[in-house]
Amino acid sequence: RQRKRTKGKSAPSDSTTSTSDAKAESEEALKEAGINSWVESETKNEIDAERTLDIIPSSASSEIIPTGQRPSTLYPPEVRCVFAFLHVGCELDLVRVVTRVRGAEYNPKRFHAVVLRIREPKATAVIYASGKIVCMGARNEKAANIACRKFVRILQKVGYPQAKFAPTEEEPLIRNVMAKVKVPFPVSLDALATHKEHSDFANYETEIFPGLIYRMAEPKVTIFVFVTGTVLVVGARTRTEVLKAFDNFYPVLCMFKKPNITTPSNPVETTSEEQKAIDRPN
């Protein structure tokens, strides 16, 4: 009996560590899924634009930047989506939150977090029991700031007065800024992907994705380039990094600029016999 009891005793498990690791992995997967969904929505627009590319003329001097002027001032990137991360400073009972907040969603079998949406500004929050909030879908930094404040206020109203909005330098509020910019000329993606200086950073597989994926080393961002001249900057932590990335990448776009594309005046050539048949009176 004594042996059986000793055998049956279980050693202390690392459930706390495994739970925290699972949460970190789920947050990274959530962040990646949000980025992918935004890129996919922008990609659909670019696929439609590529169909009319043959009738869009590009100006010969469109890529010329005045001396001393940055490309981002001439073609300013537009911030389209922002990810924000915040810790409210206390643990939360997710069942309590979902039962007291209208419109909140919680399905622990599928995802161990509460999903909450607000309309103004339009944003979605993923709220974890640890007190961490991931805010997605805000159009800019200001909207993300307002949305996070509203989410904290909602938690305060449902029984968590100690919840606070207090981002720090170690844990800043804005973690991922995604921007879009359009240059007025088409880009040769095949030439860019096969160039010896850029092939290590570029990935272009048309069977998988219609755009070229360029992973920049400094600043550390990912750039999606489409043949239409549309550029998506993903992974920047601040707006300054977005501007710096585009300024560094613009000379590469100019290097692989496609020649002027115009619609031919006489697309169908006729032979002399066909021409005689056309001119012959009935």
Side-chain angles (χ1 to χ4, degrees):
R1 289 181 182 176
Q2 187 64 29
R3 285 181 181 177
K4 286 182 180 178
R5 285 179 184 175
T6 309
K7 270 188 176 181
K9 287 182 181 179
S10 58
S13 63
D14 298 335
S15 59
T16 307
T17 307
S18 61
T19 304
S20 60
D21 293 342
K23 286 183 179 179
E25 290 177 4
S26 64
E27 289 167 13
E28 287 297 324
L30 181 68
K31 178 180 173 183
E32 186 177 351
I35 294 173
N36 291 341
S37 63
W38 179 74
V39 172
E40 285 176 6
S41 64
E42 296 292 340
T43 302
K44 290 178 182 177
N45 299 332
E46 294 309 312
I47 293 174
D48 295 335
E50 286 180 18
R51 297 170 184 171
T52 58
L53 185 63
D54 56 340
I55 59 173
I56 302 176
S58 59
S59 174
S61 60
S62 59
E63 74 277 10
I64 298 175
I65 301 295
T67 306
Q69 191 173 5
R70 298 169 59 186
S72 57
T73 58
L74 192 61
Y75 309 114
E78 179 187 0
V79 175
R80 303 294 292 271
C81 188
V82 172
F83 274 70
F85 290 75
L86 176 69
H87 199 288
V88 298
C90 63
E91 294 187 353
L92 306 172
D93 183 356
L94 299 184
V95 176
R96 182 180 183 180
V97 172
V98 76
T99 54
R100 296 192 178 190
V101 179
R102 182 183 298 177
E105 301 173 7
Y106 181 46
N107 188 349
K109 293 182 179 179
R110 296 183 59 187
F111 192 60
H112 55 273
V114 171
V115 179
L116 181 60
R117 297 177 177 86
I118 58 176
R119 294 183 180 179
E120 188 58 39
K122 188 177 180 180
T124 301
V126 180
I127 305 173
Y128 294 88
S130 62
K132 180 172 286 188
I133 297 178
V134 181
C135 178
M136 306 178 294
R139 298 288 292 182
N140 50 52
E141 298 93 321
K142 183 179 179 180
N145 190 300
I146 295 173
C148 286
R149 290 180 183 273
K150 286 191 174 184
F151 290 131
V152 172
R153 183 60 180 158
I154 291 172
L155 294 176
Q156 291 173 349
K157 287 182 177 180
V158 298
Y160 296 96
Q162 68 273 32
K164 58 183 180 179
F165 175 84
T168 61
E169 292 184 0
E170 292 78 13
E171 294 186 359
L173 180 66
I174 307 300
R175 302 290 183 86
N176 199 328
V177 179
M178 292 171 275
K180 179 179 179 179
V181 60
K182 182 81 165 66
V183 294
F185 52 84
V187 182
S188 177
L189 302 182
D190 291 314
L192 174 56
T194 56
H195 194 272
K196 60 180 181 180
E197 293 183 4
H198 303 282
S199 58
D200 293 338
F201 308 98
N203 183 16
Y204 183 46
E205 298 180 13
T206 55
E207 297 84 1
I208 301 175
F209 186 71
L212 180 141
I213 304 174
Y214 193 95
R215 305 186 188 279
M216 184 175 285
E218 182 58 35
K220 192 175 180 180
V221 299
T222 303
I223 298 176
F224 296 86
V225 189
F226 298 91
V227 68
T228 56
T230 298
V231 179
L232 307 180
V233 182
V234 173
R237 289 185 171 268
T238 61
R239 187 183 291 260
T240 304
E241 284 192 3
V242 172
L243 300 179
K244 183 179 179 181
F246 178 69
D247 289 337
N248 294 345
F249 193 65
Y250 184 78
V252 179
L253 296 174
C254 295
M255 186 185 304
F256 299 98
K257 171 182 175 293
K258 276 189 174 183
N260 292 345
I261 301 175
T262 56
T263 304
S265 56
N266 189 14
V268 180
E269 294 183 0
T270 57
T271 61
S272 57
E273 294 181 359
E274 291 174 344
Q275 189 64 37
K276 289 178 181 178
I278 294 172
D279 296 337
R280 187 181 303 133
N282 292 334

